[in-house]
Amino acid sequence: MLLRDILPDRPCRITYRTFLPWNEDTLAGLCRWDGKELISLDGDTYSTDDRILKYETDPDGSLTVWYESQWIS
């Protein structure tokens, strides 16, 4: 699924998470959805076309999303 498929019609914070090569869950980034566009909170670039593996809606209405990383060794 794409991030755009799960975005609410209201503003929210989005936490990006991924899995390290040894399968450990880790924080990867933060952004905010203002209802129309994504605003980076950490200087990285985010897109509504980002491929999401899974997601959770947190009790405060924010989203946590997981994506698959490409690791360079």
Side-chain angles (χ1 to χ4, degrees), residues 22-60:
W22 48 90
N23 210 30
E24 182 180 327
D25 182 10
T26 188
L27 176 66
L30 297 167
C31 66
R32 184 170 55 88
W33 171 246
D34 71 1
K36 294 183 182 181
E37 64 181 333
L38 294 170
I39 298 143
S40 177
L41 299 176
D42 62 5
D44 283 344
T45 302
Y46 302 95
S47 170
T48 58
D49 291 328
D50 289 342
R51 292 199 173 278
I52 303 303
L53 297 172
K54 69 178 188 171
Y55 71 96
E56 292 177 0
T57 302
D58 301 323
D60 65 359

Side-chain angles (χ1 to χ4, degrees), residues 55-72:
Y55 71 96
E56 292 177 0
T57 302
D58 301 323
D60 65 359
S62 62
L63 288 175
T64 300
V65 300
W66 284 263
Y67 72 98
E68 187 173 349
S69 296
Q70 297 290 327
W71 296 99
I72 300 171

